[in-house]
Amino acid sequence: PHRLLAWGTMPLGKRFDLACSADWHTGFRYSLVDQEQRLVGPPNAARLPARFSLNAHVEWRFDFLDRRLALRVGVNNLTGRKNPAAIVNNVDAPNFGTPIGTEHRVLTSRIRFLGRKK
């Protein structure tokens, strides 16, 4: 698919950083099938909706004992867009064309080991 991906970080003082990323791409292709799982039409003739995700995180670097650590907290899919991972592709199903496995806004965190304090 066509894709646009951008990311970057910006310092927010001596020990804080702001990290952002944006990802947009056209939807993946998929094939339509019938109740017997036989191909309906040409392979990969349909396409999932376009997908967009905006992520923003704040990272705090600190020392703990003799270690340098970083704690990152942020939000994935900041816009809350329902990005489907799949779709019901069975043309005989009553819910044909319904997106499934949608992505929601998610709060994330992590701690990183940056090395020993000098």
Side-chain angles (χ1 to χ4, degrees):
H2 301 289
R3 186 173 195 188
L4 177 63
L5 179 63
W7 69 92
T9 60
M10 180 177 75
L12 294 176
K14 196 170 186 177
R15 297 179 149 234
F16 289 90
D17 286 335
L18 173 67
C20 295
S21 67
D23 184 12
W24 170 89
H25 62 79
T26 55
F28 293 112
R29 293 188 175 276
Y30 65 94
S31 299
L32 302 176
V33 296
D34 64 10
Q35 189 72 15
E36 308 295 319
Q37 294 297 305
R38 292 181 298 221
L39 195 61
V40 175
N44 294 324
R47 189 180 282 275
L48 286 170
R51 176 181 181 85
F52 177 73
S53 183
L54 178 65
N55 307 322
H57 299 86
V58 174
E59 185 171 85
W60 171 48
R61 292 176 309 283
F62 62 96
D63 298 330
F64 181 73
L65 301 176
D66 65 340
R67 310 275 197 274
R68 302 247 344 151
L69 301 171
L71 175 65
R72 181 177 279 203
V73 177
V75 178
N76 289 348
N77 194 15
L78 194 61
T79 60
R81 183 178 165 117
K82 307 274 191 245
N83 294 315
I87 200 161
V88 178
N89 66 334
N90 182 343
V91 296
D92 297 328
N95 59 345
F96 169 68
T98 304
I100 52 178
T102 57
E103 177 184 308
H104 301 286
R105 185 178 302 126
V106 179
L107 178 66
T108 63
S109 65
R110 73 176 185 189
I111 192 160
R112 295 189 304 147
F113 172 67
L114 302 175
R116 294 200 179 267
K117 192 166 64 168
K118 295 179 182 181

